[in-house]
Amino acid sequence: MEIKLDDLSGNEVAELIKQHLQGMALNSPPESIHALNLEQLRRTEITFWSAWEGKELAGIGALKELDGQHGEIKSMRTSSIHLRKGVAKRLLQHILEEAKRRGYQRLSLETGSMEAFEPARRLYASFGFQYCKPFDGYIEDANSVFMTMEL
């Protein structure tokens, strides 16, 4: 699997982001969806990667710089044909390595509290993320779970 910096210009990436947003809409009420669309992912404070198996898009992930010490994981998604093949684990490892390289002291994330998000929460916990209070402008929400880890 090759993980590469992505400029969000490819059709495959745009389609996976669209599927990601549709999945969020199926599992979360609108006020609890914090996933970013294609234009929002192009902001300068966000670095976006795509993971490829040959010519097939396997997954995506992004890192948002909150400040010089703190980053946030955004838009982690595995393509449906690559589920349970370790794509999310590899992307998460890549994002963690980049956060450490940047000198961040903390890495945080928001994900859903519903059953559909349980695999994501298990993955993050397996890397050492712990549940925490809302950060960076998020508010308490029964549909959201916040996790963080010190690097």
Side-chain angles (χ1 to χ4, degrees), residues 95-128:
I95 291 170
L96 277 165
E97 288 169 5
E98 176 63 16
K100 289 175 184 176
R101 188 193 68 74
R102 292 181 183 186
Y104 292 167
Q105 301 299 306
R106 178 173 298 281
L107 191 58
S108 301
L109 62 97
E110 179 276 337
T111 191
S113 63
M114 292 69 88
E115 187 176 331
F117 299 96
E118 178 60 26
R121 292 191 305 268
R122 277 196 316 268
L123 173 68
Y124 296 129
S126 76
F127 272 77

CSV table of all heavy atoms in Angstrom, one decimal, residues 95-128:
chain,number,residue,atom,x,y,z
A,95,ILE,N,-0.4,9.1,10.0
A,95,ILE,CA,-0.8,10.4,10.6
A,95,ILE,C,-0.1,10.6,11.9
A,95,ILE,O,0.4,11.7,12.2
A,95,ILE,CB,-2.4,10.5,10.7
A,95,ILE,CG1,-3.0,10.6,9.3
A,95,ILE,CG2,-2.7,11.7,11.6
A,95,ILE,CD1,-4.5,10.4,9.3
A,96,LEU,N,0.0,9.5,12.7
A,96,LEU,CA,0.7,9.6,14.0
A,96,LEU,C,2.2,10.0,13.8
A,96,LEU,O,2.7,10.8,14.5
A,96,LEU,CB,0.6,8.3,14.8
A,96,LEU,CG,-0.7,8.2,15.6
A,96,LEU,CD1,-0.8,6.7,16.0
A,96,LEU,CD2,-0.7,9.1,16.8
A,97,GLU,N,2.8,9.3,12.8
A,97,GLU,CA,4.2,9.6,12.5
A,97,GLU,C,4.4,11.1,12.1
A,97,GLU,O,5.3,11.7,12.5
A,97,GLU,CB,4.7,8.7,11.5
A,97,GLU,CG,4.9,7.2,12.0
A,97,GLU,CD,5.1,6.2,10.9
A,97,GLU,OE1,5.3,6.6,9.7
A,97,GLU,OE2,5.2,5.0,11.2
A,98,GLU,N,3.5,11.6,11.3
A,98,GLU,CA,3.6,13.0,10.8
A,98,GLU,C,3.4,13.9,11.9
A,98,GLU,O,4.1,14.9,12.1
A,98,GLU,CB,2.5,13.2,9.7
A,98,GLU,CG,2.5,14.7,9.2
A,98,GLU,CD,3.8,15.1,8.6
A,98,GLU,OE1,4.7,14.3,8.2
A,98,GLU,OE2,3.9,16.4,8.4
A,99,ALA,N,2.4,13.6,12.8
A,99,ALA,CA,2.2,14.5,14.0
A,99,ALA,C,3.4,14.6,14.9
A,99,ALA,O,3.8,15.7,15.3
A,99,ALA,CB,1.0,14.0,14.8
A,100,LYS,N,4.1,13.5,15.1
A,100,LYS,CA,5.3,13.4,15.9
A,100,LYS,C,6.4,14.2,15.2
A,100,LYS,O,7.2,15.0,15.8
A,100,LYS,CB,5.7,12.0,16.1
A,100,LYS,CG,4.8,11.3,17.1
A,100,LYS,CD,5.2,9.8,17.3
A,100,LYS,CE,4.2,9.1,18.2
A,100,LYS,NZ,4.5,7.7,18.3
A,101,ARG,N,6.5,14.0,13.8
A,101,ARG,CA,7.5,14.7,13.1
A,101,ARG,C,7.4,16.2,13.2
A,101,ARG,O,8.3,17.0,13.3
A,101,ARG,CB,7.5,14.3,11.6
A,101,ARG,CG,8.6,14.8,10.7
A,101,ARG,CD,8.4,14.6,9.3
A,101,ARG,NE,7.3,15.4,8.8
A,101,ARG,CZ,7.4,16.8,8.6
A,101,ARG,NH1,8.5,17.4,8.9
A,101,ARG,NH2,6.3,17.4,8.1
A,102,ARG,N,6.1,16.7,13.2
A,102,ARG,CA,5.8,18.1,13.3
A,102,ARG,C,6.1,18.6,14.8
A,102,ARG,O,6.0,19.8,15.0
A,102,ARG,CB,4.4,18.4,13.0
A,102,ARG,CG,4.0,18.1,11.5
A,102,ARG,CD,2.6,18.5,11.2
A,102,ARG,NE,2.3,18.2,9.8
A,102,ARG,CZ,1.1,18.5,9.3
A,102,ARG,NH1,0.1,19.1,10.0
A,102,ARG,NH2,0.9,18.2,8.0
A,103,GLY,N,6.3,17.7,15.7
A,103,GLY,CA,6.5,18.2,17.1
A,103,GLY,C,5.2,18.4,17.9
A,103,GLY,O,5.3,19.0,18.9
A,104,TYR,N,4.1,17.9,17.4
A,104,TYR,CA,2.9,18.0,18.2
A,104,TYR,C,3.0,17.3,19.5
A,104,TYR,O,3.7,16.2,19.6
A,104,TYR,CB,1.7,17.4,17.5
A,104,TYR,CG,1.2,18.2,16.2
A,104,TYR,CD1,0.3,17.6,15.3
A,104,TYR,CD2,1.7,19.4,15.9
A,104,TYR,CE1,-0.1,18.2,14.2
A,104,TYR,CE2,1.3,20.1,14.8
A,104,TYR,CZ,0.4,19.5,13.9
A,104,TYR,OH,0.0,20.1,12.8
A,105,GLN,N,2.4,17.8,20.5
A,105,GLN,CA,2.4,17.2,21.9
A,105,GLN,C,1.2,16.3,22.1
A,105,GLN,O,1.1,15.5,22.9
A,105,GLN,CB,2.5,18.2,23.0
A,105,GLN,CG,3.8,19.1,22.9
A,105,GLN,CD,5.0,18.3,23.0
A,105,GLN,OE1,5.2,17.6,24.0
A,105,GLN,NE2,5.9,18.4,22.0
A,106,ARG,N,0.1,16.6,21.3
A,106,ARG,CA,-1.2,16.0,21.5
A,106,ARG,C,-1.8,15.8,20.1
A,106,ARG,O,-1.7,16.6,19.2
A,106,ARG,CB,-2.0,16.8,22.4
A,106,ARG,CG,-3.4,16.3,22.6
A,106,ARG,CD,-4.2,17.1,23.7
A,106,ARG,NE,-3.6,17.0,24.9
A,106,ARG,CZ,-3.7,16.0,25.8
A,106,ARG,NH1,-4.4,14.9,25.5
A,106,ARG,NH2,-3.0,16.0,27.0
A,107,LEU,N,-2.5,14.7,20.0
A,107,LEU,CA,-3.3,14.4,18.8
A,107,LEU,C,-4.7,14.0,19.3
A,107,LEU,O,-4.9,13.2,20.2
A,107,LEU,CB,-2.7,13.3,18.0
A,107,LEU,CG,-3.2,13.0,16.6
A,107,LEU,CD1,-3.1,14.3,15.7
A,107,LEU,CD2,-2.5,11.9,15.9
A,108,SER,N,-5.8,14.6,18.7
A,108,SER,CA,-7.1,14.4,19.2
A,108,SER,C,-8.1,14.1,18.0
A,108,SER,O,-7.7,14.3,16.8
A,108,SER,CB,-7.7,15.6,19.9
A,108,SER,OG,-6.8,15.9,21.0
A,109,LEU,N,-9.3,13.7,18.3
A,109,LEU,CA,-10.2,13.4,17.3
A,109,LEU,C,-11.6,13.4,17.8
A,109,LEU,O,-11.8,13.3,19.0
A,109,LEU,CB,-10.0,12.0,16.6
A,109,LEU,CG,-10.1,10.8,17.5
A,109,LEU,CD1,-11.4,10.1,17.4
A,109,LEU,CD2,-9.0,9.8,17.2
A,110,GLU,N,-12.6,13.5,16.9
A,110,GLU,CA,-14.0,13.4,17.3
A,110,GLU,C,-14.6,12.3,16.4
A,110,GLU,O,-14.2,12.2,15.2
A,110,GLU,CB,-14.8,14.7,17.0
A,110,GLU,CG,-16.3,14.7,17.3
A,110,GLU,CD,-17.1,14.1,16.1
A,110,GLU,OE1,-16.7,14.1,15.0
A,110,GLU,OE2,-18.2,13.6,16.4
A,111,THR,N,-15.4,11.4,16.9
A,111,THR,CA,-16.1,10.4,16.2
A,111,THR,C,-17.5,10.2,16.8
A,111,THR,O,-17.8,10.7,17.8
A,111,THR,CB,-15.2,9.1,16.1
A,111,THR,OG1,-15.8,8.2,15.1
A,111,THR,CG2,-15.2,8.4,17.4
A,112,GLY,N,-18.2,9.4,16.1
A,112,GLY,CA,-19.6,9.2,16.6
A,112,GLY,C,-19.7,8.2,17.8
A,112,GLY,O,-18.8,7.4,18.0
A,113,SER,N,-20.7,8.4,18.6
A,113,SER,CA,-20.9,7.5,19.7
A,113,SER,C,-21.8,6.3,19.4
A,113,SER,O,-21.9,5.4,20.2
A,113,SER,CB,-21.6,8.3,20.9
A,113,SER,OG,-22.9,8.8,20.4
A,114,MET,N,-22.4,6.3,18.2
A,114,MET,CA,-23.3,5.2,17.8
A,114,MET,C,-22.6,3.9,17.5
A,114,MET,O,-21.4,3.9,17.3
A,114,MET,CB,-24.2,5.6,16.6
A,114,MET,CG,-25.2,6.7,17.0
A,114,MET,SD,-24.4,8.3,17.3
A,114,MET,CE,-24.3,9.0,15.7
A,115,GLU,N,-23.3,2.8,17.4
A,115,GLU,CA,-22.7,1.5,17.2
A,115,GLU,C,-21.9,1.5,15.9
A,115,GLU,O,-20.9,0.8,15.8
A,115,GLU,CB,-23.8,0.5,17.2
A,115,GLU,CG,-23.3,-1.0,17.1
A,115,GLU,CD,-24.4,-2.0,17.1
A,115,GLU,OE1,-25.5,-1.7,17.8
A,115,GLU,OE2,-24.2,-3.1,16.5
A,116,ALA,N,-22.4,2.2,14.9
A,116,ALA,CA,-21.7,2.2,13.6
A,116,ALA,C,-20.2,2.7,13.7
A,116,ALA,O,-19.4,2.3,12.8
A,116,ALA,CB,-22.4,3.1,12.6
A,117,PHE,N,-19.9,3.4,14.7
A,117,PHE,CA,-18.6,4.0,14.9
A,117,PHE,C,-17.7,3.2,15.9
A,117,PHE,O,-16.6,3.5,16.1
A,117,PHE,CB,-18.7,5.4,15.4
A,117,PHE,CG,-19.4,6.3,14.4
A,117,PHE,CD1,-20.7,6.6,14.6
A,117,PHE,CD2,-18.7,6.9,13.3
A,117,PHE,CE1,-21.4,7.4,13.7
A,117,PHE,CE2,-19.4,7.7,12.4
A,117,PHE,CZ,-20.7,8.0,12.6
A,118,GLU,N,-18.3,2.1,16.4
A,118,GLU,CA,-17.5,1.2,17.3
A,118,GLU,C,-16.2,0.7,16.7
A,118,GLU,O,-15.2,0.8,17.4
A,118,GLU,CB,-18.4,0.0,17.8
A,118,GLU,CG,-17.7,-0.9,18.7
A,118,GLU,CD,-17.2,-0.2,20.0
A,118,GLU,OE1,-17.7,0.8,20.5
A,118,GLU,OE2,-16.2,-0.8,20.6
A,119,PRO,N,-16.1,0.2,15.5
A,119,PRO,CA,-14.8,-0.2,14.9
A,119,PRO,C,-13.8,0.9,15.0
A,119,PRO,O,-12.6,0.7,15.3
A,119,PRO,CB,-15.2,-0.6,13.5
A,119,PRO,CG,-16.6,-1.0,13.6
A,119,PRO,CD,-17.2,0.0,14.5
A,120,ALA,N,-14.2,2.1,14.6
A,120,ALA,CA,-13.3,3.3,14.7
A,120,ALA,C,-12.8,3.5,16.1
A,120,ALA,O,-11.6,3.7,16.3
A,120,ALA,CB,-13.9,4.5,14.1
A,121,ARG,N,-13.7,3.5,17.0
A,121,ARG,CA,-13.3,3.8,18.4
A,121,ARG,C,-12.3,2.7,18.9
A,121,ARG,O,-11.4,3.0,19.6
A,121,ARG,CB,-14.5,3.9,19.3
A,121,ARG,CG,-15.4,5.1,19.1
A,121,ARG,CD,-16.5,5.3,20.1
A,121,ARG,NE,-17.3,4.2,20.4
A,121,ARG,CZ,-18.5,4.0,19.7
A,121,ARG,NH1,-18.9,4.8,18.8
A,121,ARG,NH2,-19.2,2.9,20.0
A,122,ARG,N,-12.6,1.4,18.6
A,122,ARG,CA,-11.7,0.3,18.9
A,122,ARG,C,-10.3,0.5,18.3
A,122,ARG,O,-9.3,0.3,19.0
A,122,ARG,CB,-12.3,-1.0,18.5
A,122,ARG,CG,-13.3,-1.6,19.5
A,122,ARG,CD,-13.5,-3.1,19.3
A,122,ARG,NE,-13.7,-3.5,17.9
A,122,ARG,CZ,-14.8,-3.5,17.2
A,122,ARG,NH1,-15.9,-3.2,17.8
A,122,ARG,NH2,-14.9,-3.9,16.0
A,123,LEU,N,-10.3,1.0,17.1
A,123,LEU,CA,-9.0,1.2,16.4
A,123,LEU,C,-8.2,2.3,17.1
A,123,LEU,O,-7.0,2.1,17.5
A,123,LEU,CB,-9.2,1.6,14.9
A,123,LEU,CG,-7.9,2.1,14.2
A,123,LEU,CD1,-7.0,0.9,14.0
A,123,LEU,CD2,-8.3,2.7,12.9
A,124,TYR,N,-8.9,3.4,17.4
A,124,TYR,CA,-8.2,4.5,18.1
A,124,TYR,C,-7.7,4.1,19.5
A,124,TYR,O,-6.6,4.4,19.9
A,124,TYR,CB,-9.1,5.7,18.1
A,124,TYR,CG,-9.4,6.3,16.8
A,124,TYR,CD1,-10.8,6.6,16.5
A,124,TYR,CD2,-8.5,6.6,15.8
A,124,TYR,CE1,-11.1,7.1,15.2
A,124,TYR,CE2,-8.8,7.1,14.6
A,124,TYR,CZ,-10.1,7.4,14.3
A,124,TYR,OH,-10.4,7.9,13.1
A,125,ALA,N,-8.5,3.4,20.2
A,125,ALA,CA,-8.2,2.9,21.5
A,125,ALA,C,-7.0,2.0,21.4
A,125,ALA,O,-6.1,2.0,22.3
A,125,ALA,CB,-9.3,2.2,22.2
A,126,SER,N,-6.9,1.2,20.4
A,126,SER,CA,-5.8,0.2,20.3
A,126,SER,C,-4.4,0.9,20.0
A,126,SER,O,-3.4,0.4,20.3
A,126,SER,CB,-6.0,-0.8,19.1
A,126,SER,OG,-5.8,-0.2,17.8
A,127,PHE,N,-4.5,2.2,19.6
A,127,PHE,CA,-3.3,3.0,19.4
A,127,PHE,C,-3.0,3.8,20.6
A,127,PHE,O,-2.0,4.5,20.6
A,127,PHE,CB,-3.5,3.9,18.2
A,127,PHE,CG,-3.0,3.3,16.9
A,127,PHE,CD1,-3.9,2.4,16.3
A,127,PHE,CD2,-1.8,3.6,16.3
A,127,PHE,CE1,-3.5,1.8,15.1
A,127,PHE,CE2,-1.5,3.0,15.1
A,127,PHE,CZ,-2.3,2.1,14.5
A,128,GLY,N,-3.8,3.8,21.6
A,128,GLY,CA,-3.6,4.5,22.9
A,128,GLY,C,-4.4,5.8,23.1
A,128,GLY,O,-4.2,6.5,24.0
